[in-house]
Short mmCIF file of all heavy atoms in Angstrom, two decimals:
data_model
loop_
_atom_site.label_atom_id
_atom_site.label_comp_id
_atom_site.label_asym_id
_atom_site.label_seq_id
_atom_site.Cartn_x
_atom_site.Cartn_y
_atom_site.Cartn_z
N ALA K 261 0.80 -1.19 0.00
CA ALA K 261 0.00 0.01 0.00
C ALA K 261 0.84 1.24 0.00
O ALA K 261 0.49 2.24 -0.62
CB ALA K 261 -0.93 0.00 1.21
N ALA K 262 2.00 1.20 0.70
CA ALA K 262 2.84 2.40 0.78
C ALA K 262 3.37 2.81 -0.60
O ALA K 262 3.49 4.00 -0.88
CB ALA K 262 4.02 2.15 1.73
N GLY K 263 3.61 1.84 -1.44
CA GLY K 263 4.14 2.16 -2.79
C GLY K 263 3.10 2.87 -3.64
O GLY K 263 3.47 3.60 -4.57
N ASN K 264 1.85 2.72 -3.31
CA ASN K 264 0.79 3.39 -4.04
C ASN K 264 0.36 4.71 -3.39
O ASN K 264 -0.48 5.42 -3.94
CB ASN K 264 -0.43 2.47 -4.13
CG ASN K 264 -0.18 1.28 -5.00
OD1 ASN K 264 0.49 1.38 -6.03
ND2 ASN K 264 -0.67 0.14 -4.59
N ALA K 265 0.96 5.06 -2.27
CA ALA K 265 0.52 6.24 -1.51
C ALA K 265 1.02 7.55 -2.09
O ALA K 265 0.52 8.59 -1.70
CB ALA K 265 0.97 6.11 -0.07
N ASP K 266 2.04 7.52 -2.95
CA ASP K 266 2.58 8.74 -3.54
C ASP K 266 3.06 9.71 -2.43
O ASP K 266 2.83 10.86 -2.47
CB ASP K 266 1.57 9.42 -4.45
CG ASP K 266 2.24 10.41 -5.38
OD1 ASP K 266 3.43 10.24 -5.73
OD2 ASP K 266 1.56 11.40 -5.76
N ASP K 267 3.70 9.09 -1.38
CA ASP K 267 4.19 9.85 -0.26
C ASP K 267 5.62 9.42 0.00
O ASP K 267 5.85 8.41 0.66
CB ASP K 267 3.30 9.63 0.96
CG ASP K 267 3.72 10.44 2.17
OD1 ASP K 267 4.76 11.13 2.12
OD2 ASP K 267 3.01 10.38 3.21
N ILE K 268 6.58 10.19 -0.48
CA ILE K 268 8.00 9.82 -0.37
C ILE K 268 8.47 9.70 1.08
O ILE K 268 9.43 9.02 1.39
CB ILE K 268 8.86 10.77 -1.20
CG1 ILE K 268 10.24 10.15 -1.42
CG2 ILE K 268 8.96 12.12 -0.57
CD1 ILE K 268 11.05 10.81 -2.48
N THR K 269 7.79 10.38 2.01
CA THR K 269 8.19 10.31 3.39
C THR K 269 8.02 8.91 3.96
O THR K 269 8.70 8.54 4.93
CB THR K 269 7.42 11.32 4.27
OG1 THR K 269 6.01 10.97 4.26
CG2 THR K 269 7.60 12.73 3.78
N LEU K 270 7.20 8.06 3.32
CA LEU K 270 7.05 6.68 3.77
C LEU K 270 8.26 5.85 3.44
O LEU K 270 8.43 4.75 4.03
CB LEU K 270 5.81 6.07 3.12
CG LEU K 270 4.46 6.65 3.53
CD1 LEU K 270 3.33 6.04 2.72
CD2 LEU K 270 4.25 6.50 5.02
N SER K 271 9.13 6.31 2.56
CA SER K 271 10.31 5.50 2.22
C SER K 271 11.18 5.19 3.47
O SER K 271 11.77 4.11 3.55
CB SER K 271 11.14 6.19 1.15
OG SER K 271 11.67 7.41 1.62
N ALA K 272 11.24 6.11 4.42
CA ALA K 272 12.03 5.87 5.64
C ALA K 272 11.47 4.68 6.41
O ALA K 272 12.20 4.00 7.13
CB ALA K 272 12.03 7.11 6.50
N LEU K 273 10.18 4.43 6.31
CA LEU K 273 9.56 3.30 7.01
C LEU K 273 9.76 2.00 6.25
O LEU K 273 9.68 0.90 6.80
CB LEU K 273 8.06 3.56 7.20
CG LEU K 273 7.70 4.79 8.05
CD1 LEU K 273 6.21 5.01 8.03
CD2 LEU K 273 8.21 4.62 9.45
N ILE K 274 9.97 2.09 4.94
CA ILE K 274 10.10 0.90 4.10
C ILE K 274 11.56 0.41 4.04
O ILE K 274 11.78 -0.81 4.01
CB ILE K 274 9.60 1.21 2.69
CG1 ILE K 274 8.13 1.61 2.77
CG2 ILE K 274 9.80 0.03 1.75
CD1 ILE K 274 7.58 2.21 1.48
N ILE K 275 12.51 1.30 4.04
CA ILE K 275 13.91 0.93 3.87
C ILE K 275 14.35 -0.16 4.82
O ILE K 275 15.04 -1.12 4.40
CB ILE K 275 14.83 2.17 3.92
CG1 ILE K 275 14.61 3.00 2.65
CG2 ILE K 275 16.29 1.78 4.10
CD1 ILE K 275 15.28 4.35 2.65
N PRO K 276 14.00 -0.16 6.11
CA PRO K 276 14.43 -1.25 6.97
C PRO K 276 13.98 -2.64 6.53
O PRO K 276 14.62 -3.66 6.81
CB PRO K 276 13.84 -0.89 8.34
CG PRO K 276 13.65 0.59 8.29
CD PRO K 276 13.32 0.89 6.85
N HIS K 277 12.90 -2.70 5.78
CA HIS K 277 12.36 -3.99 5.30
C HIS K 277 13.22 -4.59 4.20
O HIS K 277 13.04 -5.75 3.83
CB HIS K 277 10.93 -3.85 4.88
CG HIS K 277 10.01 -3.50 6.00
ND1 HIS K 277 9.69 -4.39 7.01
CD2 HIS K 277 9.39 -2.34 6.35
CE1 HIS K 277 8.89 -3.82 7.86
NE2 HIS K 277 8.71 -2.56 7.52
N LEU K 278 14.15 -3.81 3.65
CA LEU K 278 15.10 -4.36 2.67
C LEU K 278 15.99 -5.42 3.28
O LEU K 278 16.64 -6.22 2.58
CB LEU K 278 15.97 -3.25 2.06
CG LEU K 278 15.25 -2.24 1.21
CD1 LEU K 278 16.21 -1.12 0.84
CD2 LEU K 278 14.65 -2.89 -0.05
N HIS K 279 16.04 -5.45 4.64
CA HIS K 279 16.86 -6.42 5.34
C HIS K 279 16.04 -7.41 6.15
O HIS K 279 16.55 -8.08 7.03
CB HIS K 279 17.83 -5.68 6.27
CG HIS K 279 18.61 -4.63 5.54
ND1 HIS K 279 19.63 -4.93 4.66
CD2 HIS K 279 18.52 -3.26 5.54
CE1 HIS K 279 20.14 -3.83 4.16
NE2 HIS K 279 19.47 -2.79 4.68
N ALA K 280 14.76 -7.52 5.77
CA ALA K 280 13.88 -8.48 6.47
C ALA K 280 14.33 -9.92 6.22
O ALA K 280 14.97 -10.21 5.22
CB ALA K 280 12.44 -8.27 5.99
N GLU K 281 14.01 -10.79 7.12
CA GLU K 281 14.31 -12.19 6.99
C GLU K 281 13.61 -12.78 5.78
O GLU K 281 14.17 -13.59 5.02
CB GLU K 281 13.96 -12.94 8.24
CG GLU K 281 14.37 -14.41 8.22
CD GLU K 281 14.09 -15.09 9.52
OE1 GLU K 281 14.03 -14.46 10.59
OE2 GLU K 281 13.90 -16.33 9.45
N SER K 282 12.36 -12.41 5.56
CA SER K 282 11.56 -12.97 4.51
C SER K 282 11.91 -12.36 3.13
O SER K 282 11.87 -11.14 2.96
CB SER K 282 10.08 -12.69 4.75
OG SER K 282 9.29 -12.93 3.60
N PRO K 283 12.26 -13.19 2.14
CA PRO K 283 12.52 -12.67 0.80
C PRO K 283 11.31 -11.98 0.21
O PRO K 283 11.44 -11.01 -0.52
CB PRO K 283 12.87 -13.91 -0.03
CG PRO K 283 13.06 -15.03 0.90
CD PRO K 283 12.45 -14.64 2.21
N TYR K 284 10.10 -12.43 0.55
CA TYR K 284 8.88 -11.81 0.05
C TYR K 284 8.79 -10.36 0.55
O TYR K 284 8.46 -9.46 -0.23
CB TYR K 284 7.67 -12.60 0.50
CG TYR K 284 6.36 -11.99 0.04
CD1 TYR K 284 5.95 -12.15 -1.28
CD2 TYR K 284 5.58 -11.31 0.95
CE1 TYR K 284 4.75 -11.53 -1.70
CE2 TYR K 284 4.40 -10.70 0.51
CZ TYR K 284 3.99 -10.81 -0.79
OH TYR K 284 2.82 -10.26 -1.21
N ILE K 285 9.09 -10.17 1.81
CA ILE K 285 9.05 -8.81 2.40
C ILE K 285 10.11 -7.93 1.75
O ILE K 285 9.84 -6.76 1.40
CB ILE K 285 9.25 -8.85 3.92
CG1 ILE K 285 8.12 -9.65 4.60
CG2 ILE K 285 9.34 -7.42 4.50
CD1 ILE K 285 6.74 -9.07 4.47
N ARG K 286 11.31 -8.48 1.54
CA ARG K 286 12.37 -7.72 0.88
C ARG K 286 11.94 -7.29 -0.54
O ARG K 286 12.10 -6.15 -0.96
CB ARG K 286 13.66 -8.51 0.82
CG ARG K 286 14.29 -8.75 2.17
CD ARG K 286 15.74 -9.17 2.13
NE ARG K 286 15.97 -10.36 1.29
CZ ARG K 286 15.90 -11.62 1.73
NH1 ARG K 286 15.53 -11.90 2.96
NH2 ARG K 286 16.20 -12.63 0.89
N ALA K 287 11.35 -8.22 -1.28
CA ALA K 287 10.90 -7.96 -2.65
C ALA K 287 9.83 -6.89 -2.67
O ALA K 287 9.85 -5.98 -3.52
CB ALA K 287 10.42 -9.23 -3.33
N MET K 288 8.89 -6.94 -1.76
CA MET K 288 7.83 -5.96 -1.72
C MET K 288 8.35 -4.60 -1.30
O MET K 288 7.88 -3.57 -1.78
CB MET K 288 6.71 -6.41 -0.77
CG MET K 288 5.93 -7.63 -1.26
SD MET K 288 5.17 -7.41 -2.89
CE MET K 288 6.39 -8.09 -3.99
N ALA K 289 9.38 -4.55 -0.45
CA ALA K 289 9.99 -3.30 -0.06
C ALA K 289 10.67 -2.66 -1.29
O ALA K 289 10.56 -1.43 -1.52
CB ALA K 289 10.99 -3.50 1.06
N ILE K 290 11.34 -3.49 -2.09
CA ILE K 290 11.97 -2.98 -3.32
C ILE K 290 10.94 -2.40 -4.25
O ILE K 290 11.09 -1.29 -4.77
CB ILE K 290 12.78 -4.10 -3.99
CG1 ILE K 290 13.93 -4.55 -3.11
CG2 ILE K 290 13.30 -3.64 -5.37
CD1 ILE K 290 14.50 -5.89 -3.48
N TRP K 291 9.85 -3.14 -4.44
CA TRP K 291 8.79 -2.63 -5.32
C TRP K 291 8.25 -1.33 -4.84
O TRP K 291 8.11 -0.35 -5.59
CB TRP K 291 7.68 -3.65 -5.48
CG TRP K 291 6.60 -3.10 -6.38
CD1 TRP K 291 6.56 -3.17 -7.73
CD2 TRP K 291 5.47 -2.35 -5.98
NE1 TRP K 291 5.46 -2.48 -8.20
CE2 TRP K 291 4.78 -1.97 -7.14
CE3 TRP K 291 4.97 -1.93 -4.74
CZ2 TRP K 291 3.61 -1.24 -7.11
CZ3 TRP K 291 3.79 -1.19 -4.72
CH2 TRP K 291 3.13 -0.84 -5.89
N SER K 292 7.95 -1.25 -3.56
CA SER K 292 7.39 -0.05 -2.99
C SER K 292 8.33 1.15 -3.19
O SER K 292 7.91 2.24 -3.59
CB SER K 292 7.09 -0.21 -1.47
OG SER K 292 6.04 -1.13 -1.29
N LEU K 293 9.59 0.93 -2.87
CA LEU K 293 10.58 2.01 -3.04
C LEU K 293 10.73 2.42 -4.50
O LEU K 293 10.95 3.59 -4.80
CB LEU K 293 11.89 1.61 -2.40
CG LEU K 293 11.89 1.50 -0.89
CD1 LEU K 293 13.15 0.81 -0.42
CD2 LEU K 293 11.72 2.88 -0.25
N SER K 294 10.58 1.45 -5.41
CA SER K 294 10.73 1.76 -6.81
C SER K 294 9.60 2.67 -7.31
O SER K 294 9.74 3.34 -8.33
CB SER K 294 10.79 0.48 -7.66
OG SER K 294 9.50 -0.09 -7.76
N GLN K 295 8.49 2.67 -6.60
CA GLN K 295 7.36 3.55 -6.94
C GLN K 295 7.60 4.96 -6.42
O GLN K 295 6.92 5.89 -6.86
CB GLN K 295 6.06 2.98 -6.36
CG GLN K 295 5.73 1.60 -6.79
CD GLN K 295 5.71 1.45 -8.30
OE1 GLN K 295 4.93 2.11 -8.99
NE2 GLN K 295 6.59 0.60 -8.84
N MET K 296 8.55 5.12 -5.50
CA MET K 296 8.74 6.44 -4.84
C MET K 296 10.03 7.13 -5.22
O MET K 296 10.08 8.33 -5.28
CB MET K 296 8.82 6.23 -3.32
CG MET K 296 7.59 5.65 -2.70
SD MET K 296 7.94 5.40 -0.94
CE MET K 296 6.43 4.57 -0.50
N LEU K 297 11.10 6.31 -5.41
CA LEU K 297 12.41 6.88 -5.58
C LEU K 297 12.90 6.76 -7.00
O LEU K 297 12.60 5.77 -7.68
CB LEU K 297 13.40 6.15 -4.68
CG LEU K 297 13.12 6.14 -3.19
CD1 LEU K 297 14.12 5.24 -2.46
CD2 LEU K 297 13.11 7.51 -2.62
N PRO K 298 13.68 7.74 -7.47
CA PRO K 298 14.28 7.59 -8.79
C PRO K 298 15.33 6.46 -8.75
O PRO K 298 15.90 6.17 -7.70
CB PRO K 298 14.93 8.93 -9.05
CG PRO K 298 15.02 9.60 -7.75
CD PRO K 298 14.01 9.00 -6.83
N PRO K 299 15.60 5.82 -9.86
CA PRO K 299 16.55 4.70 -9.91
C PRO K 299 17.90 5.03 -9.31
O PRO K 299 18.50 4.14 -8.70
CB PRO K 299 16.66 4.39 -11.39
CG PRO K 299 15.35 4.84 -11.99
CD PRO K 299 14.96 6.06 -11.19
N GLU K 300 18.37 6.26 -9.46
CA GLU K 300 19.67 6.63 -8.92
C GLU K 300 19.71 6.49 -7.39
O GLU K 300 20.68 6.02 -6.82
CB GLU K 300 20.06 8.07 -9.30
CG GLU K 300 20.06 8.36 -10.78
CD GLU K 300 18.67 8.61 -11.34
OE1 GLU K 300 17.82 9.25 -10.68
OE2 GLU K 300 18.40 8.14 -12.46
N GLU K 301 18.61 6.91 -6.74
CA GLU K 301 18.53 6.80 -5.29
C GLU K 301 18.31 5.35 -4.87
O GLU K 301 18.88 4.86 -3.88
CB GLU K 301 17.40 7.66 -4.74
CG GLU K 301 17.72 9.12 -4.75
CD GLU K 301 16.60 9.96 -4.13
OE1 GLU K 301 16.09 9.55 -3.06
OE2 GLU K 301 16.28 10.99 -4.72
N LEU K 302 17.46 4.65 -5.61
CA LEU K 302 17.17 3.26 -5.31
C LEU K 302 18.44 2.41 -5.39
O LEU K 302 18.68 1.52 -4.58
CB LEU K 302 16.09 2.75 -6.27
CG LEU K 302 15.51 1.38 -5.98
CD1 LEU K 302 14.82 1.40 -4.62
CD2 LEU K 302 14.50 1.01 -7.03
N LYS K 303 19.28 2.69 -6.40
CA LYS K 303 20.49 1.91 -6.59
C LYS K 303 21.41 1.97 -5.41
O LYS K 303 22.16 1.05 -5.11
CB LYS K 303 21.19 2.37 -7.86
CG LYS K 303 22.29 1.44 -8.30
CD LYS K 303 22.78 1.77 -9.67
CE LYS K 303 23.72 0.67 -10.12
NZ LYS K 303 24.11 0.83 -11.51
N GLN K 304 21.39 3.11 -4.68
CA GLN K 304 22.24 3.26 -3.48
C GLN K 304 21.84 2.28 -2.37
O GLN K 304 22.61 2.01 -1.47
CB GLN K 304 22.15 4.68 -2.97
CG GLN K 304 22.75 5.68 -3.94
CD GLN K 304 22.59 7.13 -3.45
OE1 GLN K 304 22.30 7.36 -2.26
NE2 GLN K 304 22.76 8.04 -4.36
N LEU K 305 20.62 1.76 -2.47
CA LEU K 305 20.13 0.82 -1.43
C LEU K 305 20.36 -0.65 -1.82
O LEU K 305 20.08 -1.54 -1.02
CB LEU K 305 18.63 1.05 -1.22
CG LEU K 305 18.24 2.46 -0.77
CD1 LEU K 305 16.75 2.62 -0.81
CD2 LEU K 305 18.81 2.78 0.59
N LEU K 306 20.81 -0.90 -3.04
CA LEU K 306 20.99 -2.24 -3.55
C LEU K 306 21.97 -3.07 -2.70
O LEU K 306 23.03 -2.61 -2.34
CB LEU K 306 21.53 -2.19 -4.99
CG LEU K 306 21.92 -3.47 -5.64
CD1 LEU K 306 20.75 -4.38 -5.85
CD2 LEU K 306 22.58 -3.19 -6.99
N ASP K 307 21.54 -4.29 -2.37
CA ASP K 307 22.41 -5.24 -1.68
C ASP K 307 22.97 -6.18 -2.72
O ASP K 307 22.29 -7.06 -3.24
CB ASP K 307 21.58 -6.02 -0.66
CG ASP K 307 22.40 -7.04 0.11
OD1 ASP K 307 23.60 -7.18 -0.14
OD2 ASP K 307 21.84 -7.75 0.96
N GLU K 308 24.23 -5.98 -3.05
CA GLU K 308 24.91 -6.77 -4.08
C GLU K 308 25.00 -8.22 -3.69
O GLU K 308 25.21 -9.09 -4.52
CB GLU K 308 26.32 -6.24 -4.33
CG GLU K 308 26.34 -4.82 -4.87
CD GLU K 308 26.06 -4.71 -6.35
OE1 GLU K 308 26.01 -5.77 -7.03
OE2 GLU K 308 25.83 -3.60 -6.84
N ASP K 309 24.87 -8.55 -2.41
CA ASP K 309 24.99 -9.94 -1.94
C ASP K 309 23.65 -10.61 -1.69
O ASP K 309 23.58 -11.62 -1.00
CB ASP K 309 25.81 -9.96 -0.64
CG ASP K 309 27.25 -9.48 -0.83
OD1 ASP K 309 27.82 -9.77 -1.90
OD2 ASP K 309 27.76 -8.75 0.03
N GLU K 310 22.57 -10.07 -2.27
CA GLU K 310 21.26 -10.65 -2.08
C GLU K 310 21.24 -12.11 -2.56
O GLU K 310 21.56 -12.41 -3.71
CB GLU K 310 20.19 -9.85 -2.84
CG GLU K 310 18.82 -10.47 -2.86
CD GLU K 310 18.23 -10.72 -1.50
OE1 GLU K 310 18.13 -9.73 -0.73
OE2 GLU K 310 17.87 -11.86 -1.22
N PRO K 311 20.89 -13.07 -1.67
CA PRO K 311 20.97 -14.49 -2.03
C PRO K 311 19.72 -15.01 -2.78
O PRO K 311 19.81 -16.02 -3.47
CB PRO K 311 21.09 -15.20 -0.69
CG PRO K 311 20.43 -14.30 0.29
CD PRO K 311 20.66 -12.90 -0.23
N ASP K 312 18.58 -14.35 -2.64
CA ASP K 312 17.37 -14.88 -3.18
C ASP K 312 17.16 -14.43 -4.64
O ASP K 312 17.20 -13.24 -4.91
CB ASP K 312 16.18 -14.40 -2.35
CG ASP K 312 14.89 -15.06 -2.75
OD1 ASP K 312 14.61 -16.16 -2.25
OD2 ASP K 312 14.18 -14.47 -3.61
N GLU K 313 16.88 -15.39 -5.49
CA GLU K 313 16.74 -15.06 -6.94
C GLU K 313 15.55 -14.18 -7.23
O GLU K 313 15.60 -13.33 -8.11
CB GLU K 313 16.65 -16.37 -7.74
CG GLU K 313 17.95 -17.11 -7.82
CD GLU K 313 17.85 -18.38 -8.70
OE1 GLU K 313 16.90 -18.49 -9.48
OE2 GLU K 313 18.74 -19.20 -8.57
N GLN K 314 14.45 -14.40 -6.53
CA GLN K 314 13.25 -13.55 -6.75
C GLN K 314 13.52 -12.12 -6.34
O GLN K 314 13.02 -11.18 -6.98
CB GLN K 314 12.06 -14.15 -6.05
CG GLN K 314 11.49 -15.37 -6.67
CD GLN K 314 11.09 -15.18 -8.11
OE1 GLN K 314 11.68 -15.79 -9.00
NE2 GLN K 314 10.15 -14.34 -8.35
N VAL K 315 14.25 -11.96 -5.26
CA VAL K 315 14.53 -10.60 -4.79
C VAL K 315 15.55 -9.95 -5.78
O VAL K 315 15.39 -8.78 -6.10
CB VAL K 315 15.12 -10.63 -3.36
CG1 VAL K 315 15.50 -9.20 -2.90
CG2 VAL K 315 14.10 -11.23 -2.40
N GLN K 316 16.49 -10.72 -6.27
CA GLN K 316 17.39 -10.21 -7.29
C GLN K 316 16.61 -9.75 -8.52
O GLN K 316 16.91 -8.70 -9.11
CB GLN K 316 18.42 -11.29 -7.70
CG GLN K 316 19.38 -11.63 -6.65
CD GLN K 316 20.24 -12.83 -7.05
OE1 GLN K 316 20.19 -13.30 -8.16
NE2 GLN K 316 21.01 -13.35 -6.11
N LEU K 317 15.62 -10.52 -8.93
CA LEU K 317 14.78 -10.15 -10.07
C LEU K 317 14.01 -8.87 -9.79
O LEU K 317 13.91 -8.01 -10.66
CB LEU K 317 13.81 -11.28 -10.39
CG LEU K 317 12.87 -11.03 -11.55
CD1 LEU K 317 13.62 -10.81 -12.86
CD2 LEU K 317 11.91 -12.23 -11.70
N GLU K 318 13.51 -8.73 -8.58
CA GLU K 318 12.82 -7.49 -8.22
C GLU K 318 13.75 -6.28 -8.30
O GLU K 318 13.34 -5.21 -8.80
CB GLU K 318 12.19 -7.62 -6.81
CG GLU K 318 11.17 -6.56 -6.51
CD GLU K 318 9.90 -6.70 -7.32
OE1 GLU K 318 9.41 -7.82 -7.53
OE2 GLU K 318 9.40 -5.65 -7.79
N TRP K 319 15.00 -6.44 -7.85
CA TRP K 319 15.96 -5.37 -7.99
C TRP K 319 16.16 -5.03 -9.47
O TRP K 319 16.22 -3.89 -9.86
CB TRP K 319 17.29 -5.75 -7.37
CG TRP K 319 17.41 -5.47 -5.89
CD1 TRP K 319 17.58 -6.38 -4.91
CD2 TRP K 319 17.35 -4.19 -5.24
NE1 TRP K 319 17.64 -5.72 -3.67
CE2 TRP K 319 17.49 -4.38 -3.91
CE3 TRP K 319 17.22 -2.89 -5.73
CZ2 TRP K 319 17.52 -3.36 -2.98
CZ3 TRP K 319 17.22 -1.82 -4.81
CH2 TRP K 319 17.37 -2.06 -3.47
N GLN K 320 16.33 -6.06 -10.26
CA GLN K 320 16.56 -5.86 -11.71
C GLN K 320 15.41 -5.07 -12.35
O GLN K 320 15.62 -4.14 -13.09
CB GLN K 320 16.73 -7.21 -12.40
CG GLN K 320 16.99 -7.19 -13.86
CD GLN K 320 18.37 -6.69 -14.23
OE1 GLN K 320 19.31 -6.73 -13.41
NE2 GLN K 320 18.55 -6.17 -15.43
N GLN K 321 14.20 -5.49 -12.04
CA GLN K 321 13.02 -4.81 -12.59
C GLN K 321 12.86 -3.39 -12.08
O GLN K 321 12.40 -2.53 -12.77
CB GLN K 321 11.78 -5.63 -12.30
CG GLN K 321 11.73 -6.95 -13.04
CD GLN K 321 10.60 -7.83 -12.62
OE1 GLN K 321 9.97 -7.65 -11.54
NE2 GLN K 321 10.30 -8.82 -13.44
N ALA K 322 13.24 -3.17 -10.84
CA ALA K 322 13.13 -1.86 -10.26
C ALA K 322 14.16 -0.89 -10.81
O ALA K 322 13.85 0.28 -11.07
CB ALA K 322 13.27 -1.94 -8.72
N LEU K 323 15.36 -1.39 -11.03
CA LEU K 323 16.46 -0.52 -11.48
C LEU K 323 16.51 -0.33 -12.99
O LEU K 323 16.95 0.66 -13.50
CB LEU K 323 17.80 -1.05 -10.96
CG LEU K 323 17.96 -0.98 -9.45
CD1 LEU K 323 19.24 -1.72 -9.03
CD2 LEU K 323 17.97 0.45 -8.93
N TYR K 324 16.06 -1.37 -13.69
CA TYR K 324 16.14 -1.38 -15.17
C TYR K 324 14.79 -1.81 -15.75
O TYR K 324 14.70 -2.87 -16.36
CB TYR K 324 17.28 -2.28 -15.63
CG TYR K 324 18.57 -2.04 -14.89
CD1 TYR K 324 19.03 -2.92 -13.93
CD2 TYR K 324 19.33 -0.91 -15.19
CE1 TYR K 324 20.20 -2.67 -13.26
CE2 TYR K 324 20.54 -0.68 -14.52
CZ TYR K 324 20.93 -1.55 -13.55
OH TYR K 324 22.10 -1.32 -12.86
N PRO K 325 13.75 -1.02 -15.55
CA PRO K 325 12.41 -1.46 -15.94
C PRO K 325 12.19 -1.74 -17.40
O PRO K 325 11.32 -2.53 -17.77
CB PRO K 325 11.52 -0.30 -15.50
CG PRO K 325 12.41 0.84 -15.29
CD PRO K 325 13.77 0.29 -15.01
N SER K 326 12.99 -1.21 -18.29
CA SER K 326 12.77 -1.41 -19.73
C SER K 326 13.53 -2.62 -20.27
O SER K 326 13.35 -2.97 -21.42
CB SER K 326 13.19 -0.16 -20.50
OG SER K 326 14.57 0.08 -20.31
N GLU K 327 14.32 -3.27 -19.46
CA GLU K 327 15.11 -4.42 -19.97
C GLU K 327 14.36 -5.69 -19.81
O GLU K 327 13.58 -5.92 -19.02
CB GLU K 327 16.44 -4.51 -19.20
CG GLU K 327 17.35 -3.33 -19.56
CD GLU K 327 18.69 -3.43 -18.87
OE1 GLU K 327 19.06 -4.48 -18.35
OE2 GLU K 327 19.37 -2.42 -18.85
#
């Protein structure tokens, strides 16, 4: 819901979820942030060591939506 709120101040509440135990929560946090932040800012939050393939895919789609 936060990703649809069009309220960038919510990003501070979402960022901690990028480190959640659940890959599903991490992926949803990425999607939400991708709705709020420009790719340049989002890329600064990227975890290069993300082990989950679905979360990696969410990063890919968030950072490079046209590929």
